[in-house]
Structure formats: structure tokens, C-alpha cells
Amino acid sequence: MLRAAAAEVAAKQATTRLADAAQSLSGLFAINKPPGISCAGLLDYFKRNVGRSHDAIPFAEHFEREHQLRQSGKKIFRRRYALALRVGHGGTLDVEAAGVMVVGINRGCKQLGAYLSGSKTYLANARLGASTDTQDAEGLVVGTGDAAAVTAEAVEAVLPQFTGRISQQPPMFSAVRVDGKRLYEYARGGEPAPVPVRPRAVDVHSLRMTYFSNPALGQRSGQQVALPPRVADYFAEGRYRWNPDAPEMRVGHTMAPYAHDPRLPALQLFVRSGGGVYVRTLIHDLGALMGCGATMVSLVRLAQGPFRVGRDTIDAEDLPYIDRIISAMRHADGVIQQGGVPPTQS
């Protein structure tokens, strides 16, 4: 009896020490966001598990729960947190996007504004010949076009029109707020936005096509940059797996099963931009200009400010461990100091 009581007291004391340590955290660090989970879902995992170390809920379990919540189509309500941590991030990545996500804890949140508007670098893969309502492979096909005659030279010729200061219409499936609601909430409910959403001026510093292929012409140019293994595996399995016996893609079909359709022309873009740029919209608009439609099928944020994916990031599975968070914050401080460049500059 006494041993059980002593063990309970010791456990409570250990929990209190961990809570105190977690609440004392303050600063910035960068995480390598995996595809398939929202930024809010990833921060939810952090806030619920930081300091729990080996007793934390496995990330794979949390990932699956988030997936089920999204599939239900219902609004996600998150429970209150035991720790009074202030946590935020420096710029949304779509659910299916991966890569660098800068996170601020407590006083570190005050520094996040610079990352929202600062430079970012992306690697995007796309398919020509179809456009979707979400402008990525998660959505439904709303238009198809004949891309059989599109050449690498033709794509290269229009890229300058999407470089520099350009006007971009925020997509309906986005986190932009209108009258207190996110645009994606109106879109999922089948409602139009209550007021017109105006185009925004954004900066695309550079736009380079690293790879192009069109099987109808037998043309292939450039060298395709390989996705990180975790990202490549995600987009090669499940609903993204290509089935050679799949019916011909039509309007109303989900694009995901056709993301790797070898009959569709493919291109890969290296994008360096300022804040507020929707890469999927850039690709959608490029496809519209080409007259055949285009859909982004994967996106990796390679860099945000001075932070580079892999070199400066930790993984989602590291989030429950305070020592790893502290190490990541110290590394982030070093990256910022060594870079000598404010995060709002390229």
C-alpha cells in the first residue's frame, strides 16, 4: 500500500517536473512536416505530448485519428490542453504538402511574422491535362484538356509570365478568412464566399522547370529531383497508387488515382517566392494559360527563411521529447545567427 502511494507521488512529481520544463520552453525551431496531416493537427500532437517522451501517443496513431476526422467531413473541435503553452507556426502548409514548418513556442511566437512574409522555396510536381476544384490531386476533376502536343519549350516560354510581382486569386480551398470563416469552409459546404475575394499581389522570385515529360511526343527533358523517401512513399501508396486498369479520367473523378498516370504529361517546378504564394494556384493558372489544364500532385517546402529541410528540421516523432526540442531551438538560434540574413529576405 505504502509502495503504491509512494509510486503515485513519484509519478505526479515527475509529471509536474515535465510540465514545468515544457512550459519554460521559449523560442523557434523547424519541423519537417509529413504529408497527410494539417499544420493544426501537427501542433495539436505537439501540445498534447511534449514532455511525455516514451509515454507519448505514437505519432502514427495520432496521424490516423486526424485522417479519420478529416474524412468524416465534420468540423474538428480540439480538446483543451493540460499545458498552457502558446504555440504557433510561420506559414500554413496544405494537408498534403510536406517540408519545413517553422514553429514558435511562447515568446518565440512573436518572431513568426517574419516567416509568414519571408522567403520560401518549393519543389512541386504537376500533371498537365486536367484541373481540379482544389487545384491539387485531392480534388475533383472539373476540366480536362488535350495536352498531347504540349512541349517543354512551350512551357518554358510562359514561365516568365509567372515570375516577379504577379496577381494571384486565392483558391476557394484555402485558409483565407472571409466574414469570420475560412474559404475552405464555404467550399466544403457548397457555398460561395459571401463577398468577392480579391486577387492579391505576390512575389515569385524565381521559377524553374527542372523536369518535363510528354509520352505522346516521346519528349523528356531535365532531371527529375527525387522526393524525400517518406514523401515519395506516401504518394506512391493508397489512393495515389496508379492502377493501369483504371477507367479513363473524366470530370467528376477524384484526381488522386491519376496523379501518377503515365499517359499524362508531367512537369516539376522549383519555386522561390515570398509569402502568400499558392503554388497550386500558380500551376493551375499555368495550365489555364496553356489551354490544357494542370494540377499539382505533390509539394515539398524545401526552405523557409534560413531553414533547410533535413539539415535544420526535426521529425514529428521527436516532438514529445523536451531534450530534442531544446536542441532544435538551439540549432535554430545558430542557423539564424550564422545566416546573418533577416528571415524576410532571400
Side-chain angles (χ1 to χ4, degrees), residues 93-309:
L93 278 169
D94 291 337
V95 171
E96 297 296 271
V100 181
M101 180 175 125
V102 177
V103 176
I105 308 175
N106 293 325
R107 291 189 303 274
C109 292
K110 294 181 180 180
Q111 303 174 51
L112 291 175
Y115 293 92
L116 285 166
S117 59
S119 66
K120 302 171 180 71
T121 304
Y122 298 95
L123 183 69
N125 285 295
R127 292 284 179 176
L128 298 176
S131 56
T132 70
D133 55 356
T134 60
Q135 302 178 353
D136 63 13
E138 273 201 293
L140 299 177
V141 176
V142 293
T144 60
D146 186 2
V150 176
T151 64
E153 293 75 18
V155 177
E156 292 279 10
V158 302
L159 291 184
Q161 297 186 47
F162 298 95
T163 307
R165 168 134 307 193
I166 64 171
S167 178
Q168 194 174 72
Q169 178 72 46
M172 274 301 293
F173 284 87
S174 68
V176 173
R177 283 191 181 275
V178 175
D179 279 7
K181 288 175 64 174
R182 305 285 190 183
L183 280 180
Y184 64 72
E185 294 181 85
Y186 292 110
R188 289 172 182 169
E191 308 171 48
V195 295
V197 181
R198 295 179 178 178
R200 299 180 175 187
V202 295
D203 294 308
V204 178
H205 305 311
S206 64
L207 179 59
R208 179 165 53 90
M209 186 167 67
T210 56
Y211 175 78
F212 176 87
S213 71
N214 187 341
L217 299 176
Q219 184 185 34
R220 179 175 296 183
S221 64
Q223 182 66 44
Q224 190 167 23
V225 179
L227 294 174
R230 186 173 188 170
V231 179
D233 290 346
Y234 178 85
F235 286 109
E237 300 299 330
R239 59 199 175 123
Y240 290 99
R241 181 190 289 273
W242 167 243
N243 178 6
D245 298 323
E248 183 181 353
M249 180 179 61
R250 298 184 184 278
V251 170
H253 284 175
T254 302
M255 179 67 186
Y258 300 93
H260 299 295
D261 186 342
R263 298 166 297 188
L264 296 175
L267 61 89
Q268 186 179 72
L269 295 174
F270 183 86
V271 185
R272 192 169 62 85
S273 71
V277 172
Y278 289 93
V279 178
R280 55 190 160 103
T281 300
L282 189 152
I283 289 170
H284 172 87
D285 293 348
L286 185 151
L289 183 62
M290 299 293 298
C292 59
T295 299
M296 187 181 77
V297 297
S298 71
L299 181 70
V300 179
R301 184 188 282 165
L302 300 175
Q304 183 171 10
F307 299 104
R308 302 292 181 266
V309 70

Side-chain angles (χ1 to χ4, degrees), residues 34 36-37 41-42 44-46 48-49 52 54-70 78-79 230 316-317 320:
I37 189 169
L42 192 54
D44 181 69
Y45 179 73
F46 172 60
R48 293 193 187 287
N49 291 280
R52 296 182 64 184
H54 298 292
D55 294 325
I57 297 170
F59 178 70
E61 183 178 319
H62 177 82
F63 183 94
E64 182 58 31
R65 177 177 174 275
E66 287 285 318
H67 175 72
Q68 291 174 1
L69 286 172
R70 288 198 315 278
R78 303 192 185 279
R79 294 170 295 168
R230 186 173 188 170
E317 290 79 4

